[in-house]
Amino acid sequence: MASSSRTPLRLSAAPAAAAAAAAATDDDDDDRTAAQHCIPFILERLSLHHRHHQHPHPHPQPHHATNPPQPPLFILGISGIQGIGKTTLVRNLATILRSPPHSLPLATLSLDDLYLRHSEQVALATAHPDNQLVQHRGQPGTHDLALGAAVFASLSGRQRPTRLPRYDKARYGGRGDRAPEESWPVVGNEGDGEVQLQLLIFEGWCVAFRALEPRVLEERWRRARRERCERRKAGAGAESEPESMLAMCSLEEVRWVNERLRGYDVFTNDTDRLQSVYRWRREAEAARRLSSTTTATATATAAATAADNSGGLSDAEVTAFVQGWRESLLSLL
């Protein structure tokens, strides 16, 4: 994902309006370009998903010839820090994928749409007055997991129309509240002639995050506290980068949020997460080996073919290769 950075400018009204319009146009073009870069990858994953579920039975049933089974709903998860442009990316992806030549029936949902009602958030904050992490919406523990699970089950089951929750962040002076249910969009009205959903785009800042083991969590918390102390001793002032929230919280506060994060597996378990990377890399290497073999067969001798036939990694080599950077990535999440 890409986000555009803006530098404040002091301009008179007319030039400022023209500059703002030009900047908005440039930003819109950049946003659409970012979405376009994602489209081939999404379509490839969706195609592989359909092929994988084309013959779910070892021996296809006779009626499948005329009524092939529908593959499960494909769920695309998008995560990223606040302000990076997730909402804009999802909006542009949805616009492109819904339009010809793709014309994909899809729905979008944000983790933000699953926040607790305002009254529930107030009650949560009141019940944990010493935990600064839950005094406002945002952290794991401030979402309605039961609502989210029900929405996912309804969409995946494709048995009835589904109302997609929406959250109004402008209510209660910006503290937000769930929008009235009658305003939620409805998807899956097959009785009204709507085509069955093929894709759900689910975005949120902590989508696919997993809770840390207690030992790992405490190690990271202690490291953040040490770094905070070192920064203060070095005389780091207010103009330096903000302090880590992890270091500013007590271990008990962080543990509370980490334990609530385990409940979010109700969403993550419907996705392949990083395990997909092993399969994707194996598929890429298999294609590379095939390409190498075909090219060598057409242009070289049998001996040269044998020597060049290692154009892609073996499955065992893929596992070892991916495991190295996967551990590095996980340690940074």
Side-chain angles (χ1 to χ4, degrees):
M1 279 181 282
S3 60
S4 54
S5 58
R6 297 178 178 83
T7 302
L9 298 175
R10 295 183 179 274
L11 301 173
S12 60
T25 301
D26 290 342
D27 287 344
D28 288 345
D29 290 342
D30 289 344
D31 291 337
R32 284 192 290 269
T33 299
Q36 288 285 5
H37 282 308
C38 299
I39 297 298
F41 173 81
I42 295 172
L43 293 177
E44 181 191 19
R45 294 301 111 199
L46 188 59
S47 176
L48 288 172
H49 173 74
H50 283 192
R51 290 207 299 271
H52 178 73
H53 293 280
Q54 205 166 27
H55 300 296
H57 302 285
H59 306 287
Q61 304 301 310
H63 68 277
H64 287 170
T66 54
N67 298 294
Q70 289 291 328
L73 179 67
F74 185 76
I75 301 174
L76 171 68
I78 297 177
S79 64
I81 60 175
Q82 290 86 341
I84 200 171
K86 298 184 298 297
T87 300
T88 301
L89 176 63
V90 169
R91 181 175 63 247
N92 286 326
L93 287 176
T95 298
I96 295 170
L97 290 171
R98 283 175 175 146
S99 304
H102 311 301
S103 303
L104 273 176
L106 63 88
T108 64
L109 182 67
S110 171
L111 183 63
D112 289 358
D113 291 323
L114 302 177
Y115 279 131
L116 297 171
R117 294 184 178 89
H118 176 73
S119 59
E120 295 169 331
Q121 177 60 52
V122 170
L124 176 66
T126 302
H128 301 276
D130 297 327
N131 192 332
Q132 58 186 310
L133 294 175
V134 296
Q135 297 309 301
H136 48 77
R137 68 177 190 263
Q139 294 288 342
T142 64
H143 300 90
D144 189 334
L145 299 187
L147 173 63
V151 170
F152 269 60
S154 182
L155 288 171
S156 298
R158 297 169 170 173
Q159 296 176 349
R160 58 187 181 279
T162 303
R163 285 190 176 274
L164 299 180
R166 289 295 182 258
Y167 192 85
D168 186 351
K169 296 179 180 178
R171 301 185 69 184
Y172 290 96
R175 296 189 69 85
D177 196 9
R178 191 173 299 163
E181 188 170 343
E182 57 269 21
S183 70
W184 299 359
V186 179
V187 296
N189 282 321
E190 292 186 65
D192 297 335
E194 184 173 319
V195 180
Q196 194 173 63
L197 280 180
Q198 293 188 38
L199 172 66
L200 170 66
I201 304 178
F202 180 50
E203 62 89 2
W205 77 270
C206 61
V207 166
F209 280 26
R210 297 280 194 180
L212 296 173
E213 291 304 314
R215 177 185 57 79
V216 176
L217 178 68
E218 184 169 349
E219 286 177 354
R220 294 190 186 181
W221 177 80
R222 293 190 182 283
R223 181 176 63 196
R225 300 282 278 207
R226 285 195 304 271
E227 291 173 351
R228 182 192 190 194
C229 290
E230 291 169 0
R231 282 165 51 83
R232 289 185 171 181
K233 288 179 181 178
E239 71 281 358
S240 61
E241 62 183 73
E243 288 189 347
S244 164
M245 191 66 183
L246 183 60
M248 296 169 61
C249 296
S250 69
L251 182 56
E252 288 69 27
E253 291 174 292
V254 177
R255 279 173 173 164
W256 189 95
V257 170
N258 188 61
E259 285 306 309
R260 297 308 175 281
L261 182 57
R262 297 188 190 282
Y264 288 61
D265 289 352
V266 69
F267 309 128
T268 306
N269 287 344
D270 280 336
T271 67
D272 289 332
R273 200 171 178 256
L274 291 178
Q275 294 301 322
S276 297
V277 179
Y278 290 98
R279 187 178 72 249
W280 296 344
R281 187 65 194 226
R282 284 195 295 267
E283 291 169 353
E285 294 299 330
R288 187 173 290 111
R289 289 196 301 270
L290 178 61
S291 175
S292 175
T293 301
T294 302
T295 302
T297 300
T299 62
T301 63
T305 299
D308 294 339
N309 200 22
S310 57
L313 300 176
S314 68
D315 287 354
E317 290 170 329
V318 166
T319 299
F321 174 76
V322 173
Q323 187 68 21
W325 65 257
R326 181 180 185 273
E327 293 304 320
S328 298
L329 174 61
L330 289 175
S331 69
L332 297 174
L333 289 178

